[in-house]
Amino acid sequence: MILRDRVAIVTGAGSGIGQAGAALMAREGARVVIIDRDEAAASATAQAINTAGGSAEAIAVDVTDDESLRDAITSVAARHGRIDILHNHAGAQVAGDVEQVAIEGFDRSWDLNVRAHFMASRLVLPMMKAQGKGVIVNTSSSSGVLYDREMIAYATTKHAVIAMTRQMAGDVARHGIRVNALCPGWVDTPFNEPFITQMGGREAIEAYIADRVPLRRWAHVDEIAEAILFLVSDRSSYITGQMLVIDGGETVA
């Protein structure tokens, strides 16, 4: 078990990629704290991990609420005495180009996709510095490295996550802390519903992916979980300030 006894916090882990990554970390020995604003989803994820023999707990938190997020991270530090891994995964996808996107949707995207990552990182860093070691993974997207059709809020925030990751990595490397960005491409989860609707339904999105992605298919969440495990484990011990793109070749097509 390559993460034995490490304490990991995963935001947005009630479903999809976050859930799959948390489950794999637990299978590799980590004590995983599931943070999600959906209490039922967070609890179900933690229960599934515990039933499978792992160690997990759930905390219902809206990560855009600074006080609630601070309380949650403080409580984890108090209970476990350490925080080894933070995976900032909670995010939102809001459709629309510069003229069509709802202003409140753009603002919500920034708060959730960028600012919440910043705040959670800020809150765990004192403990990681005291330990002399830690790993932060910020979920960006392949949309953070290429044009994403009529998705200005999403693409803007995901580009910002990459810039923030690189800056943060340079600032904290001397403390033994690594920071990298996870950039998934098309992954078959409910997260894509806004874009599927915008494209005109499931058949349309399947055709779009087959045309745009050289591997001609979606990724499965378990394929992304393996990349997460690589980034949070010592298998990537000399990697920091980088973006790992898992997109079936779309960005090089």
Side-chain angles (χ1 to χ4, degrees):
M1 291 188 178
I2 62 175
L3 299 179
R4 185 182 298 277
D5 296 330
R6 297 186 195 181
V7 176
I9 297 174
V10 185
T11 71
S15 62
I17 292 171
Q19 183 182 69
L24 184 54
M25 286 188 222
R27 289 199 296 274
E28 289 294 337
R31 301 171 185 174
V32 183
V33 180
I34 308 299
I35 290 182
D36 200 287
R37 67 177 180 176
D38 185 331
E39 183 174 7
S43 296
T45 297
Q47 183 176 355
I49 289 172
N50 290 325
T51 298
S55 175
E57 60 191 76
I59 306 177
V61 175
D62 179 347
V63 294
T64 64
D65 182 331
D66 292 351
E67 185 175 350
S68 295
L69 183 61
R70 181 178 294 106
D71 289 346
I73 290 175
T74 300
S75 71
V76 173
R79 283 195 305 280
H80 298 289
R82 62 185 302 110
I83 298 172
D84 301 286
I85 296 164
L86 170 65
H87 180 192
N88 285 309
H89 181 68
Q93 190 182 87
V94 177
D97 65 18
V98 65
E99 294 179 291
Q100 298 167 341
V101 68
I103 299 300
E104 59 272 22
F106 190 96
D107 291 342
R108 172 69 177 171
S109 294
W110 184 266
D111 287 345
L112 186 55
N113 295 354
V114 183
R115 190 179 184 281
H117 289 14
F118 161 78
M119 283 303 302
S121 299
R122 183 184 179 99
L123 291 166
V124 302
L125 278 171
M127 176 155 281
M128 288 184 175
K129 285 182 178 180
Q131 296 164 187
K133 187 176 183 180
V135 180
I136 297 172
V137 173
N138 296 316
T139 294
S140 176
S141 169
S142 60
S143 298
V145 297
L146 48 68
Y147 159 74
D148 199 348
R149 179 176 134 180
E150 297 176 359
M151 296 289 285
I152 192 168
Y154 189 68
T156 298
T157 57
K158 293 305 185 177
H159 275 73
V161 168
I162 290 173
M164 182 174 66
T165 296
R166 292 168 61 86
Q167 180 66 37
M168 195 184 302
D171 289 342
V172 303
R174 66 184 182 275
H175 300 288
I177 300 165
R178 298 188 298 107
V179 188
N180 290 295
L182 179 77
C183 300
W186 292 101
V187 187
D188 196 2
T189 75
F191 183 79
N192 293 297
E193 288 303 323
F195 194 72
I196 293 173
T197 299
Q198 179 179 300
M199 288 292 293
R202 183 78 183 192
E203 185 175 340
I205 196 68
E206 295 283 359
Y208 180 81
I209 290 170
D211 179 62
R212 289 285 299 273
V213 177
L215 287 182
R216 300 182 60 81
R217 65 173 179 86
W218 303 84
H220 188 274
V221 290
D222 290 341
E223 294 175 296
I224 310 303
E226 291 290 345
I228 294 168
L229 179 63
F230 172 71
L231 290 176
V232 303
S233 73
D234 291 340
R235 291 174 177 174
S236 59
S237 58
Y238 201 58
I239 297 175
T240 195
Q242 303 303 311
M243 50 188 180
L244 180 56
V245 181
I246 316 102
D247 69 345
E250 182 179 11
T251 53
V252 297

